[in-house]
Structures are given as structure tokens and as C-alpha cells.
Amino acid sequence: IITITMRRLLFILLGFSIMVIVIANYSNPSTPVFYSIKRLEEKIALNAARNPSQKMYIYEQLLKRRYQELREIAPKNELSLIYVSSSRYRTTIGEFIKIATQNSQKNYQEDVKSTLFQYKLGLKEAHDYLLNKYGVMSSLDQRKAIQEAMDASDIYSSLLRKE
């Protein structure tokens, strides 16, 4: 009887854990509990990467996530969330570019430049949305944080090899 109960309990626990991880993958900084699980999962994936190609792929996915998070959070006009998302975007882009500019990753740089340009355009839309919806003064700090993310796209893109 105990083993059947324990199996059921473990099965329920496993199902709940899987559900939490799946939900966490769609979270952003506005849902702190799930977002913490998502970030932990990302750190585990980075630590498990065994070579630069794997790390670069993971950072590419993380950069896409940070970009999407910033785009999702911007319309809410919450400074702390926008600032955190912008900061994480800038950190991730720096790590991504560091790997992309090393050794065997150089042939990938034009694709990276194109992606960064697209992200910059998307961030510009978020920036302009805040300006138009909330006005110059009420969204100044939020737009500055987004501008910093846009600037990071330009700065890091300029570090990539010109072909």
C-alpha cells in the first residue's frame, strides 16, 4: 500500500514539476516565481554546454528570449521590469558576441549582425510605443532603458567582422 501511494505521489510530483517547467519557459520578469525557474533552467543549460558551438546556440536562444521579454514588458511601462529586462538583454548580447567572435564562429557573424539589426528595429518600436502612449516625461526612464538595449545591439554588432 505504501509503495502504491508513494508511486502515485512521485507521479503527481513529477507531473507538477514538468508543468511548472513548461509554464516557466513562457514567463517574463513580471512573474517572478516562474521567471526564477526559467533562469535556473537557462543557467543549467549553459553549464552543461560542452563546446563553443553549443554555448553559442544557447546564448542565441537566450538573446531571443531576452529580446521577446523586453518587447512584452515595454507596453506595461513598469520601470523596474523594463530596466531588469534591458540589463539582461545587454548582458546576454555581450556573452553571445564574445563567443560569436571567437575561432570557428566567425563565419556566422553576418547572420548575427542581421539578427541584431532586427532586434534593434523591434526595440525601436517598443521605444516609440512608450513615447506615443505615455508621453515624453512619463516614460523617459523606461525609454532610456530600451535605448540602452538598442545601443548595445549597435555596439556589439560593430565588433563583428565586416565581410
Side-chain angles (χ1 to χ4, degrees), residues 2 7 12 17 60 64 66 80 88 92 101 124 131:
I2 293 176
R7 284 184 190 167
I12 290 170
S17 299
E60 182 179 22
K64 183 178 182 180
R66 300 294 92 88
S80 62
R88 286 194 177 123
T92 304
T101 56
K124 175 83 170 108
L131 178 61

Side-chain angles (χ1 to χ4, degrees), residues 64-82:
K64 183 178 182 180
R65 282 183 177 184
R66 300 294 92 88
Y67 165 74
Q68 290 169 339
E69 290 166 4
L70 193 48
R71 290 286 314 259
E72 288 172 16
I73 287 173
K76 297 176 182 176
N77 199 30
E78 294 181 35
L79 178 59
S80 62
L81 296 178
I82 292 172

Side-chain angles (χ1 to χ4, degrees), residues 61-122:
Q61 299 307 308
L62 294 179
L63 183 59
K64 183 178 182 180
R65 282 183 177 184
R66 300 294 92 88
Y67 165 74
Q68 290 169 339
E69 290 166 4
L70 193 48
R71 290 286 314 259
E72 288 172 16
I73 287 173
K76 297 176 182 176
N77 199 30
E78 294 181 35
L79 178 59
S80 62
L81 296 178
I82 292 172
Y83 183 76
V84 166
S85 293
S86 174
S87 177
R88 286 194 177 123
Y89 176 87
R90 294 188 319 266
T91 300
T92 304
I93 200 172
E95 292 298 320
F96 178 53
I97 295 302
K98 184 175 17 171
I99 291 172
T101 56
Q102 293 172 347
N103 304 328
S104 63
Q105 309 308 324
K106 291 188 185 289
N107 58 348
Y108 186 62
Q109 292 185 22
E110 280 305 310
D111 291 338
V112 172
K113 284 176 93 168
S114 176
T115 298
L116 295 182
F117 181 74
Q118 293 303 314
Y119 288 174
K120 181 183 174 186
L121 292 178

Side-chain angles (χ1 to χ4, degrees), residues 10-36:
L10 287 174
F11 183 73
I12 290 170
L13 202 56
L14 178 64
F16 180 74
S17 299
I18 291 170
M19 182 182 70
V20 167
I21 290 170
V22 168
I23 291 171
N25 277 319
Y26 296 99
S27 67
N28 63 44
S30 66
T31 54
V33 172
F34 290 115
Y35 192 71
S36 296

Side-chain angles (χ1 to χ4, degrees), residues 34 40 54 61 74 78 89 97 127-128 144 152 158 161:
F34 290 115
L40 177 62
Q54 288 176 342
Q61 299 307 308
E78 294 181 35
Y89 176 87
I97 295 302
H127 178 279
D128 293 348
K144 182 180 175 193
S158 72
R161 177 173 73 169

Side-chain angles (χ1 to χ4, degrees), residues 136-151:
V136 173
M137 293 312 291
S138 64
S139 67
L140 184 63
D141 291 333
Q142 293 84 332
R143 287 183 294 110
K144 182 180 175 193
I146 293 172
Q147 183 65 52
E148 289 171 355
M150 291 167 40
D151 292 346

